[in-house]
Structure formats: structure tokens, C-alpha cells
Amino acid sequence: MQRTVLGCLAFVVVLLFVAVIIAALSGIGIYNGMVSGSQAVDQQWAQVQNVYQRRADLIPNLVKTVTGAANFEKSTLVEITQARASVGQVKINPNSAPANAEDLAKYQRAQDGLSSALSRLLVVSERYPDLKANQNFADLQAELAGTENRISVERGRFNEAVQAYDTRIQRFPGVFVAPMMGFKPKPYFSATAGSETPPKVDFNFGTPPPVQ
């Protein structure tokens, strides 16, 4: 009888030990998955930063080229210069995605403001036929168009990475593990601000309207 009881206790202990091992391995797998998801978001954020920086680096040359046009509207140049400066004032870690929606929204507003200023500059430039003959201006247009498209692509990929990460930490069993491990949902770029559709940059000039 005693051997039977001892045998049962030993069996229970073994089962508990196996259960603990399985739970530990499962927890490790869940944790590692969350870490990988968070790193994927951060990596994609770095790509977003890179393409935005590429655009910012092109603007000084664009402004310099446009400034050479006779009587080009100074207010437009001032606007795009100020918009670019505003982008530089929004400080976000380039290696870590924003942790809250407010920081991302502030960053997005600054970048979208630069997009609007850039679009207006290019519309105004249509009034200056001499610019169309400027090869440097044409090259910058092409680079900016490609960069705008790349921005749209990288923002879309960022949102996809965030969606995958947020889903992982909000569904079972991650929803129980994430709070204990300090994993929190990450914000998306707002679709209404153009994350799916890049700001229109039209480089196909028609007949330029007369200068007023």
C-alpha cells in the first residue's frame, strides 16, 4: 500500500515537473516572439526615418536650383525652408519606434507639413519655363518623386509590422504575458494623413500659366 502511495506521489511530481517545463518553454517562446515583433517594428521605423531623411537632404539643392529662377516667389521658398526646419525640431529616436500615439502624430504632422510645402513649391515652379530646361531641376524632381513613393511604401510596411506585433501581444496567450514583460501596443501612421497614398508630386508640366 505504501509503495502504491509513493508511486502515485512520484508520478504526480513527474507530471508537475513536466508541466512546469512545458509552461516555461511556452513562456520563453511567447517572450521571444514578442521581442522579435518589437525589433521588427524598430527596424522598419529606421527605414521610415531613412527615406524621410533622404527627402530632407534633397530639399536644399531643390531650393537652391529654384532660387536661380528670376523673380521666383520668395514666400514659397520661405515656407518650404520653415517646414523642413520644423521637421528637424521633432526629436524621435531613429532606432526605436515611438512608444505612444502622441509622439508619432507630432512627427507625422511635421512630415506631412513638409510634403504640402514641397507640393506647393513644385506647383508654383510650373510658372517658370526656364526651370524645365534645367537638368539639375529635372533630376531633383525625379529623385523626389521616387522618394515620395518610397515613403509611402515604408510607412505601409511599418504599419504592417506594428499590426503583427500588436496582434501578438493582444491575443491569447500573449495578452497575459505582455503586461508582465513590459510589452505595450505601438501606434500606427494615420491612414487619413497619407500612409496609403503619398502626397501628389506632379512632374508632368503642361502649358505654364502666365505669371501674374
Side-chain angles (χ1 to χ4, degrees), residues 29 50 69 86 88 127-128 130 137 147 163 176 201:
N50 286 340
S86 296
R127 302 178 182 178
Y128 299 84
D130 290 346
F137 185 65
T147 301
Q163 181 182 31
F176 299 111
V201 182

Side-chain angles (χ1 to χ4, degrees), residues 192-204:
T192 56
S195 63
E196 300 300 330
T197 303
K200 183 178 181 181
V201 182
D202 186 0
F203 301 128
N204 296 318

Side-chain angles (χ1 to χ4, degrees), residues 16 39 41 58 74 93 118 141 146 183:
L16 289 175
Q39 289 178 342
V41 173
L58 290 171
K74 292 183 178 180
N93 188 337
L118 178 60
Q141 288 176 332
F183 291 99

Side-chain angles (χ1 to χ4, degrees), residues 70-143:
N71 301 319
F72 193 86
E73 299 179 14
K74 292 183 178 180
S75 61
T76 304
L77 295 176
V78 170
E79 180 183 9
I80 195 170
T81 300
Q82 291 177 340
R84 183 176 183 271
S86 296
V87 166
Q89 292 172 359
V90 180
K91 303 299 183 182
I92 295 183
N93 188 337
N95 300 315
S96 179
N100 59 74
E102 182 180 353
D103 287 345
L104 182 59
K106 184 184 299 184
Y107 177 84
Q108 184 173 343
R109 284 194 299 270
Q111 294 291 354
D112 289 351
L114 179 55
S115 294
S116 297
L118 178 60
S119 295
R120 283 190 289 275
L121 182 146
L122 293 170
V123 168
V124 171
S125 69
E126 295 182 12
R127 302 178 182 178
Y128 299 84
D130 290 346
L131 284 175
K132 292 189 295 181
N134 187 313
Q135 186 59 48
N136 187 45
F137 185 65
D139 292 343
L140 288 169
Q141 288 176 332
E143 289 190 65

Side-chain angles (χ1 to χ4, degrees), residues 23 25-35 168 172-175 177-178 183:
L25 292 176
S26 178
I28 292 173
I30 294 171
Y31 175 80
N32 288 341
M34 292 179 181
V35 170
R168 184 182 292 273
F172 181 85
V175 67
V177 178
F183 291 99

